[in-house]
Amino acid sequence: MAPEKRRRVTEDDGETEILDVESASSSLQQVSRKKPRISYDEPESSGHSDSSDDEFFQEHASQFATQQQSKHTAENLPADNGIIETVTCINFMCHGFLEINLGPLINFIIGHNGSGKSAVLTAITICLGGKATSTNRGQSLKSFIKEGEETAMLSVKIKNRGNSAYQQDVFGNAIIVERHFSRSGSSNFKIKNSVGRLISARKGDLDDICDFFALQIDNPMNVLTQDMARQFLNNSSPAEKYKFFMKGTQLEHLDGDYLIVENNVDIIEQDLWKKAADVQVFESELQKARELHGLSEKQDVLRERIQTLGYMMAWAQVEEVEEKLAREDEKLRCIVNKITTSEMNAVSFGEAFDQTEQSCNRAASALHEVQTALVPLQKEKDAAKKEFDRLKAEQMGLHTDQRSIEEELRAAEAGIKRTQNDIDEEHKRLSDADGGGHAMRRREIDQKREEAEAAKIRVQDHGDRRQTLLDNRKRADDDYQQSQNPIKAQRREIKEKETRFSSLMRDQGQQQQSVSANMARLLSAIRQDKNFLQKPLGPLGNHVRLLKPVWSSVLEKSFGGSLDAFIVTSKQDQNRLSDHMHRCNCSVQILIGNNRRIDTAGKEPDEHFNTVLRSVEIDDDLVRKQLILQHGIDQTVLIEDRETAIDTMNSGRVNNLRQCFALTNKRGEGVRLGYGFGGGLSQTHMPAWNGLPRMKTDIEYQINAQCEIIQSAKAELNQLEQSSKEKQNHLVKCEQAIKKHAQETEHLKIEMQRAETIVDDLQDALDQDSIEEGRLEALKQQLKEAQEEKKTHGKQYEEFIVVKDRNNIALKNSRSEMSRMDRGLEEANAKIRKADTKATNASNQRAAALRDKNAAIEAVETGKREREQQREERDAHQETVNSFTRDAEAFCPRVPVDPGATCESLEEKMDKIQSDLEKMEKRVGGTRGEMADAVARTFEAYDRAKKETQDIEELAQVLKETLVNRRSRWKMFQRHITARARVQFMYLLSERGFRGQLQANHKQKALDLKVEPDETLKANQGRKTMTLSGGEKSFSTICLLLALWEAMGAPIRCLDEFDVFMDSVNREISMKMMIDNARSSMGKQFVLITPQAMGNVGFDPDIKCIR
């Protein structure tokens, strides 16, 4: 059970005493014994009580007389705080809206029955936190809401002035308390300051305000409602009057608190019985633990031996790592000696390289000179060849013209022959010009007409073939013109390849010399910049060595700009490198990577496949990682034969195969094979790489390969030129065919005209036989013209033969000149080959010397890396030795280790002794440490239980003493209040001439009145209230109420319908007495409600009447 605390504050004579009561149940063994209840009541005797009461009565009587005298002379001033100024009701009971401003001292609320007078007291009670049942007007808040309304609101304004105001800096001169409630059951408070600003909505804050001002709203004597007033004034018994007296004076509440304290003291006494038994148990366990701890001390010898072996084992580990450190030092000395030897070799190989480099430069200069001398010879040959081609073409044209002239001669001879035949036939016709000749001429006319028609058809058919010949010439001309572009491109490509060949011959073995001037400046700037977090790597081609040069062009093309790129490991280095590129005007790609290595194990194709990664050597993991990520070199296969590559890709998906490169018949070119989006095989042509090599490779192979590429390109150029020449010849033939077609067209037209002429002549001869003799003369004239035409063609043929002979002579001379130039070129090429051989040999020697020098430098660098690695390993071993030494020194000072002892042997001895010790500890029940811990634990538990018992005993004693003191003071307070009420009661009775006494029996809890209305009967002690008249009874009860009010300290006193059962005489006397009593109660506020008229009461400034 968790500890419980009750806190109560009691004020006495200006001092404050705080009483705390704590109780807790022990978790130890419970004891069933119970201690009897202790009584803290003081023994009383009736005689002593009566004498004490008389003393108190006499004392208070004298004090009361003095107070009454001072009250009559003192002025009753309003209180600065704690009184009600305004009460507001909205939709409350019978009021829709009601606002009453109360006076600071005496207030009379007057009204007929049912007018809602009592609603004021009910509103004050509920608004200041009272319960609905305490008003005797309803069981819940919703019963107070006016009929037809859903919500209600009450507001009470409390005065808050003077030095004893409540938080005046927060609330100001007034505190406004509002309570809102509805028929749904919701209810809330609002506490506002004097200007209406909300300060709090907590009921706890309202309770603090009421406690501060002593506003006892739930006290039935403080706010006496109509029902309670009727019961108190008319129907109350002595027990009920005593109950009202105890509640009104708060004595009943204090008595309840003291009963709670008594119960807690009983619980503490019971716990003390249990704690005492627990302490005895802990004491017994502590004694037993101490006895076992004493037995465990006998095992110290074995523990000391185990400790000594532990010390030796700690330092044995130190000696083992010291021996390893000595071996690492020896390895480091061997590596340093190896570096010294490698450095000497590097110096000698460097001198040899310098000599071979000079020889190589001289050979390259000689080669350049002979190559320069070849250029003008080549130009002369090109010019001579151009002239030769022109003459050759002219000769072909002359051949065509010769054939045309020969055909024209043959045609002229044929015409002469035909004309001669016609003359002969004419002679025969004339000789046979008799009756049968006319029919014969008719048949001849028909035959000639058919021949003329056939000649006309031939002319038309021949004319239709001209367009076909024109189209053939157009296509031939286009083909010839198109064949010139590849020749020009091939010549440019050959020139570029020869330039690259010259660069390879000049810069062989020195890859850095092949970079551009801007790149060289960039590399120099990177070397000089010391502010990089990590030096950039690049160009990437400098870190890649190609093991199979046959793939050089394909891989150079595939890698593209990546071989010119740089790699950095941070954004800062990227920005810094970008600035250098901008200043050097060298913009290449910058890649950002990290130093985590990519493991390709299990991610590459089978070992029988040659991948790009397996065909190159990469000297840095960053470069390797970037090429894998960007180009997939670990999953790219190289297969030289194209058909084999296609079969491999088509044989099904190969594990870890992304793409494949294959070579073509044309050197330097290749093809890329990959899988498309649909899973099908795709092929991409890869042209040859025309730039300088960027990867490290065998320079001799590069030179030979470039030479072969140049020869292949020249052979391809020859093929292109031969094909172009064939197309040129075809164009000439097409032009000759067009010319021949034109000549044949003329001949056909002539034949057609001749046939038509013959037909006309025969027709004319038939029609005019008289003039037939003139036809023979015409034929003779025609024969003469034909002979003249033949003579003209003969002269043209002779002139053409002369021109042709001159062309043949010029063509022969041009051929001889070309032969001479070919011999000169051959001699120059021989010199070039010889110089080339010398340059190649010098380059090979230089390359060999460079390899030796690089190998020596690499050996030095490797040795240095090994030295650094060995130093790191040695330092790591040194750190291990230092760590082991520190740990051992922290464990114990250095002790000698037995010769031949190792960690294993020492551990074996320790295990054996530890086993013996554990057996002994098992017999004891634990180790010495465990025994010590057990002693500490049991002692701690014993000490804690003992201390708790002492603390509880001290607390119980303090509570007993405090409770006895409190009970004594409570009884003293009770007697003082009773005596004061008796004196006040007697004084109030005397105001009307009555006498009597107030009898209080605290043991029987009864409070009764004895009143004697007849003042003359002095021997009589008085009568009980039951024998009095109604007015006398009400007056006596009013005197009792005023006497009890005087004993209370509340600032507000409310009474509802106190004069209902009084006659006019008693009412007038009671009213005057109440006003006088109210005026004598300094600073108190009275709210009195009556349905009677107040005409017989004189209203002074301190009295306010509200109707």
Side-chain angles (χ1 to χ4, degrees):
M1 181 176 177
E4 298 178 348
K5 178 180 289 187
R6 178 176 178 86
R7 181 178 180 90
R8 174 124 185 114
V9 179
T10 303
E11 297 183 358
D12 184 22
D13 298 333
E15 296 180 356
T16 301
E17 179 181 0
I18 300 176
L19 177 65
D20 292 338
V21 179
E22 296 182 354
S23 67
S25 64
S26 173
S27 61
L28 303 178
Q29 180 181 3
Q30 300 294 323
V31 181
S32 62
R33 291 175 295 176
K34 183 176 181 181
K35 190 175 180 179
R37 178 182 178 89
I38 301 173
S39 176
Y40 301 97
D41 294 335
E42 294 180 350
E44 296 182 357
S45 62
S46 60
H48 176 73
S49 176
D50 293 340
S51 61
S52 299
D53 291 343
D54 292 340
E55 293 175 0
F56 274 103
F57 179 78
Q58 294 298 330
E59 179 182 354
H60 279 280
S62 60
Q63 291 179 357
F64 181 78
T66 304
Q67 290 175 359
Q68 290 298 321
Q69 185 178 1
S70 62
K71 287 182 180 179
H72 285 295
T73 59
E75 183 181 359
N76 184 17
L77 299 177
D80 292 333
N81 51 67
I83 60 176
I84 298 175
E85 294 182 334
T86 304
V87 179
T88 303
C89 304
I90 298 176
N91 298 331
F92 183 73
M93 297 181 69
C94 62
H95 300 289
F97 178 81
L98 173 65
E99 182 175 276
I100 295 178
N101 295 317
L102 298 177
L105 295 174
I106 305 171
N107 296 271
F108 285 97
I109 300 177
I110 305 171
H112 300 292
N113 291 331
S115 61
K117 306 183 299 300
S118 300
V120 177
L121 294 187
T122 305
I124 294 174
T125 302
I126 293 176
C127 186
L128 294 182
K131 297 180 181 178
T133 55
S134 65
T135 63
N136 293 327
R137 290 300 184 100
Q139 297 298 320
S140 62
L141 292 177
K142 60 184 178 181
S143 63
F144 293 104
I145 300 175
K146 184 180 180 181
E147 290 295 332
E149 303 294 337
E150 293 296 325
T151 60
M153 191 275 287
L154 301 175
S155 176
V156 173
K157 184 178 181 181
I158 303 173
K159 188 176 182 181
N160 190 43
R161 298 174 182 269
N163 296 330
S164 60
Y166 180 78
Q167 297 183 9
Q168 193 173 18
D169 57 336
V170 177
F171 291 96
N173 295 329
I175 299 175
I176 301 174
V177 180
E178 295 182 359
R179 187 169 188 178
H180 301 257
F181 49 95
S182 64
R183 293 190 183 276
S184 62
S186 63
S187 173
N188 64 289
F189 293 91
K190 292 183 180 180
I191 304 175
K192 301 180 180 180
N193 61 7
S194 58
V195 297
R197 185 171 64 88
L198 180 65
I199 302 300
S200 175
R202 296 176 59 252
K203 186 178 184 299
D205 295 335
L206 175 61
D207 294 338
D208 293 341
I209 295 173
C210 292
D211 289 343
F212 182 83
F213 291 127
L215 299 176
Q216 302 172 13
I217 300 302
D218 287 334
N219 191 337
M221 295 297 296
N222 192 30
V223 179
L224 205 61
T225 61
Q226 181 175 343
D227 295 335
M228 294 297 294
R230 184 181 300 112
Q231 180 181 356
F232 180 77
L233 296 176
N234 298 289
N235 301 322
S236 61
S237 64
E240 291 175 343
K241 288 184 175 65
Y242 185 84
K243 186 176 180 181
F244 275 110
F245 169 75
M246 294 295 289
K247 285 185 177 180
T249 57
Q250 298 291 305
L251 291 173
E252 185 180 36
H253 182 70
L254 289 176
D255 186 57
D257 291 342
Y258 295 156
L259 289 177
I260 293 174
V261 175
E262 290 178 6
N263 292 332
N264 290 334
V265 172
D266 291 341
I267 294 172
I268 292 173
E269 291 291 339
Q270 294 176 9
D271 288 341
L272 283 175
W273 284 79
K274 300 175 184 178
K275 290 289 183 181
D278 293 341
V279 171
Q280 293 179 359
V281 173
F282 285 131
E283 186 176 6
S284 176
E285 291 179 354
L286 176 61
Q287 184 63 28
K288 183 179 178 181
R290 285 174 174 172
E291 292 175 357
L292 292 176
H293 182 260
L295 293 176
S296 66
E297 292 179 352
K298 298 178 181 180
Q299 303 167 359
D300 290 343
V301 176
L302 292 178
R303 293 191 182 94
E304 290 177 0
R305 179 58 180 165
I306 291 175
Q307 185 179 24
T308 303
L309 291 176
Y311 293 163
M312 293 175 64
M313 187 166 67
W315 288 104
Q317 294 176 353
V318 174
E319 291 183 357
E320 288 181 0
V321 295
E322 286 176 346
E323 292 176 0
K324 292 182 180 179
L325 179 61
R327 291 195 293 270
E328 295 297 329
D329 289 336
E330 182 61 28
K331 289 182 181 179
L332 183 60
R333 283 192 293 272
C334 294
I335 292 174
V336 170
N337 295 334
K338 182 180 177 181
I339 291 174
T340 303
T341 304
S342 299
E343 288 177 344
M344 295 174 62
N345 293 335
V347 172
S348 61
F349 285 134
E351 294 175 355
F353 171 74
D354 293 338
Q355 295 176 1
T356 56
E357 187 173 21
Q358 293 176 3
S359 300
C360 183
N361 291 336
R362 289 193 295 270
S365 298
L367 178 61
H368 182 68
E369 290 176 0
V370 296
Q371 288 177 341
T372 303
L374 179 64
V375 173
L377 296 176
Q378 185 66 42
K379 291 182 178 179
E380 292 179 2
K381 181 185 176 182
D382 293 341
K385 188 174 184 305
K386 185 176 181 181
E387 180 64 18
F388 176 78
D389 293 339
R390 186 186 66 78
L391 294 174
K392 188 70 174 175
E394 186 177 350
Q395 186 184 36
M396 294 178 67
L398 292 174
H399 281 303
T400 302
D401 295 339
Q402 181 180 0
R403 286 194 295 269
S404 299
I405 294 172
E406 290 176 349
E407 289 177 357
E408 290 176 353
L409 285 174
R410 286 193 294 271
E413 291 177 351
I416 292 172
K417 188 175 179 180
R418 285 194 303 272
T419 305
Q420 187 63 46
N421 291 333
D422 292 339
I423 292 173
D424 295 338
E425 289 178 359
E426 183 64 23
H427 283 294
K428 184 178 180 181
R429 186 186 65 81
L430 292 175
S431 62
D432 295 331
D434 51 314
H438 183 77
M440 187 181 294
R441 284 193 295 273
R442 174 61 64 187
R443 288 191 298 271
E444 186 179 3
I445 287 174
D446 295 336
Q447 181 181 357
K448 294 300 181 180
R449 186 173 286 120
E450 291 175 359
E451 290 176 359
E453 190 66 27
K456 186 176 181 181
I457 292 173
R458 284 196 300 272
V459 170
Q460 292 177 353
D461 293 339
H462 193 69
D464 294 337
R465 288 195 298 271
R466 176 177 174 79
Q467 186 61 40
T468 302
L469 295 176
L470 292 174
D471 293 339
N472 291 339
R473 185 184 65 178
K474 180 66 170 61
R475 285 193 296 272
D477 184 67
D478 292 340
D479 292 341
Y480 174 74
Q481 295 298 330
Q482 292 176 1
S483 66
Q484 293 299 309
N485 293 330
I487 292 174
K488 295 177 182 178
Q490 188 68 12
R491 286 173 179 169
R492 287 194 300 269
E493 184 178 352
I494 291 174
K495 187 174 182 180
E496 293 174 357
K497 294 181 184 301
E498 288 176 346
T499 302
R500 183 183 176 193
F501 176 80
S502 299
S503 298
L504 289 173
M505 293 298 297
R506 181 176 62 256
D507 300 329
Q508 53 184 330
Q510 300 184 21
Q511 187 178 11
Q512 289 296 336
Q513 297 181 4
S514 63
V515 300
S516 63
N518 293 339
M519 178 64 75
R521 288 197 299 272
L522 177 61
L523 293 174
S524 176
I526 292 173
R527 285 193 298 270
Q528 295 174 4
D529 193 341
K530 305 299 183 182
N531 295 323
F532 284 104
L533 299 178
Q534 183 175 346
K535 284 289 185 182
L537 290 175
L540 300 190
N542 291 351
H543 300 275
V544 181
R545 179 178 293 278
L546 183 61
L547 301 179
K548 297 183 178 181
V550 69
W551 295 99
S552 174
S553 177
V554 173
L555 294 183
E556 290 276 357
K557 197 71 177 177
S558 174
F559 289 149
S562 296
L563 293 179
D564 296 324
F566 284 78
I567 300 178
V568 296
T569 57
S570 65
K571 185 66 176 178
Q572 178 180 345
D573 287 350
Q574 182 190 24
N575 296 334
R576 195 168 191 84
L577 180 58
S578 179
D579 293 340
H580 283 305
M581 288 183 178
H582 181 71
R583 286 192 294 269
C584 297
N585 194 22
C586 181
S587 179
V588 295
Q589 187 179 7
I590 301 177
L591 306 175
I592 298 180
N594 53 59
N595 293 316
R596 292 192 296 273
R597 179 179 176 84
I598 292 181
D599 186 10
T600 59
K603 300 177 183 178
E604 298 185 55
D606 293 338
E607 294 183 356
H608 69 274
F609 286 109
N610 179 32
T611 63
V612 176
L613 183 60
R614 296 166 184 167
S615 300
V616 296
E617 285 182 355
I618 304 175
D619 58 5
D620 193 278
D621 284 340
L622 276 175
V623 179
R624 175 179 176 272
K625 180 178 181 180
Q626 290 300 325
L627 292 180
I628 289 175
L629 294 176
Q630 292 196 7
H631 300 281
I633 62 175
D634 58 329
Q635 296 181 352
T636 300
V637 174
L638 303 177
I639 301 176
E640 295 188 11
D641 183 68
R642 181 176 180 178
E643 299 299 326
T644 305
I646 293 175
D647 293 339
T648 301
M649 297 295 285
N650 285 329
S651 62
R653 288 275 185 173
V654 180
N655 292 333
N656 301 323
L657 176 58
R658 181 186 299 180
Q659 60 184 353
C660 177
F661 291 152
L663 300 178
T664 60
N665 295 330
K666 192 172 182 180
R667 190 172 183 88
E669 297 183 355
V671 63
R672 176 191 174 276
L673 304 175
Y675 298 108
F677 292 105
L681 186 64
S682 63
Q683 300 186 30
T684 304
H685 176 257
M686 301 179 67
W689 171 255
N690 294 324
L692 294 173
R694 296 171 293 176
M695 296 184 291
K696 297 178 182 179
T697 184
D698 187 358
I699 194 63
E700 183 177 357
Y701 176 85
Q702 288 284 347
I703 293 173
N704 295 333
Q706 189 66 19
C707 186
E708 292 179 5
I709 290 174
I710 293 174
Q711 296 299 329
S712 175
K714 288 183 177 180
E716 186 176 354
L717 177 61
N718 291 333
Q719 292 178 0
L720 292 174
E721 289 177 347
Q722 185 64 31
S723 175
S724 178
K725 189 177 293 184
E726 292 176 357
K727 292 178 180 179
Q728 184 182 16
N729 294 334
H730 179 63
L731 176 61
V732 172
K733 290 180 180 179
C734 290
E735 291 177 348
Q736 292 175 354
I738 292 174
K739 290 181 181 180
K740 184 179 179 181
H741 180 273
Q743 293 175 357
E744 290 176 353
T745 301
E746 293 297 328
H747 289 307
L748 289 175
K749 287 181 179 180
I750 291 172
E751 290 178 358
M752 182 185 68
Q753 291 174 358
R754 287 176 180 174
E756 290 177 350
T757 301
I758 291 172
V759 171
D760 293 335
D761 291 342
L762 290 175
Q763 185 65 38
D764 293 338
L766 185 61
D767 295 334
Q768 299 177 1
D769 289 335
S770 58
I771 58 173
E772 287 180 353
E773 292 80 2
R775 185 174 180 276
L776 181 60
E777 291 298 329
L779 290 173
K780 290 180 180 180
Q781 184 63 34
Q782 186 177 359
L783 176 61
K784 184 178 179 180
E785 291 175 358
Q787 290 173 348
E788 289 295 332
E789 183 180 0
K790 178 180 178 181
K791 184 178 179 181
T792 301
H793 288 305
K795 289 182 180 180
Q796 290 178 354
Y797 184 75
E798 291 174 356
E799 293 175 356
F800 181 78
I801 292 301
V802 173
V803 175
K804 184 178 179 182
D805 291 339
R806 285 199 303 269
N807 180 267
N808 289 335
I809 293 171
L811 185 61
K812 181 178 180 181
N813 293 335
S814 178
R815 187 179 289 110
S816 300
E817 183 65 22
M818 286 187 63
S819 299
R820 182 185 64 80
M821 291 181 180
D822 288 338
R823 288 192 297 272
L825 287 173
E826 184 62 28
E827 293 176 358
N829 286 327
K831 292 179 181 179
I832 290 175
R833 286 193 294 272
K834 183 177 180 180
D836 187 18
T837 301
K838 291 181 180 180
T840 301
N841 293 335
S843 176
N844 293 336
Q845 293 175 2
R846 176 182 177 278
L850 180 61
R851 284 195 296 270
D852 294 339
K853 177 183 176 181
N854 291 338
I857 295 174
E858 183 66 24
V860 173
E861 296 298 328
T862 302
K864 290 181 179 179
R865 287 194 295 271
E866 291 178 356
R867 181 182 62 187
E868 294 301 323
Q869 183 178 359
Q870 185 61 30
R871 281 180 178 172
E872 292 178 359
E873 294 178 359
R874 190 263 179 198
D875 293 341
H877 280 80
Q878 182 65 53
E879 182 62 28
T880 303
V881 171
N882 296 338
S883 177
F884 275 49
T885 303
R886 285 194 300 270
D887 294 342
E889 288 176 348
F891 184 60
C892 66
R894 186 151 191 166
V895 297
V897 181
D898 295 340
T902 62
C903 293
E904 290 76 11
S905 62
L906 293 174
E907 187 176 6
E908 185 177 354
K909 292 180 181 180
M910 286 182 63
D911 291 341
K912 185 177 182 304
I913 298 174
Q914 185 68 34
S915 177
D916 296 339
L917 181 61
E918 289 176 356
K919 292 179 181 178
M920 295 181 65
E921 291 175 347
K922 188 174 182 182
R923 290 196 297 271
V924 175
T927 64
R928 183 181 180 184
E930 292 174 350
M931 294 297 101
D933 292 341
V935 171
R937 287 195 304 272
T938 53
F939 178 77
E940 182 181 359
Y942 168 74
D943 185 65
R944 183 170 59 251
K946 187 176 180 181
K947 186 176 181 181
E948 288 178 357
T949 303
Q950 293 175 353
D951 293 341
I952 294 174
E953 289 177 350
E954 293 175 359
L955 176 62
Q957 185 63 29
V958 170
L959 287 178
K960 291 176 184 178
E961 295 174 356
T962 303
L963 187 58
V964 170
N965 183 34
R966 287 282 176 172
R967 280 291 187 186
S968 176
R969 296 173 67 180
W970 182 84
K971 287 186 176 295
M972 182 66 69
F973 182 51
Q974 183 187 55
R975 291 160 67 186
H976 275 286
I977 291 177
T978 304
R980 183 178 180 84
R982 290 174 63 188
V983 172
Q984 182 72 17
F985 179 70
M986 292 176 63
Y987 170 77
L988 294 174
L989 287 177
S990 65
E991 290 292 321
R992 192 182 173 187
F994 286 15
R995 60 185 179 85
Q997 60 180 351
L998 179 64
Q999 296 179 347
N1001 191 332
H1002 296 297
K1003 288 186 177 181
Q1004 296 179 0
K1005 297 182 179 180
L1007 180 68
D1008 199 3
L1009 308 178
K1010 287 189 177 182
V1011 179
E1012 179 56 51
D1014 189 358
E1015 186 178 26
T1016 60
L1017 300 176
K1018 298 187 179 294
N1020 194 357
Q1021 296 295 325
R1023 294 181 294 171
K1024 291 187 177 181
T1025 57
M1026 296 179 62
T1027 63
L1028 300 176
S1029 64
E1032 294 172 343
K1033 183 178 180 180
S1034 297
F1035 174 75
S1036 301
T1037 309
I1038 288 293
C1039 293
L1040 175 61
L1041 177 63
L1042 294 177
L1044 295 179
W1045 272 357
E1046 191 65 22
M1048 295 168 52
I1052 301 175
R1053 295 158 186 186
C1054 304
L1055 181 60
D1056 188 6
E1057 295 190 1
F1058 62 93
D1059 55 351
V1060 175
F1061 301 102
M1062 293 184 183
D1063 54 20
S1064 59
V1065 176
N1066 286 320
R1067 180 172 179 273
E1068 181 179 358
I1069 296 173
S1070 298
M1071 189 71 67
K1072 181 178 180 302
M1073 182 177 61
M1074 291 183 68
I1075 293 173
D1076 293 340
N1077 184 268
R1079 286 172 175 170
S1080 64
S1081 299
M1082 296 299 198
K1084 300 296 187 293
Q1085 184 181 34
F1086 287 80
V1087 179
L1088 305 176
I1089 300 176
T1090 177
Q1092 305 295 332
M1094 300 293 293
N1096 56 352
V1097 178
F1099 291 103
D1100 294 327
D1102 59 343
I1103 300 175
K1104 184 175 183 179
C1105 183
I1106 302 171
R1107 291 182 173 84

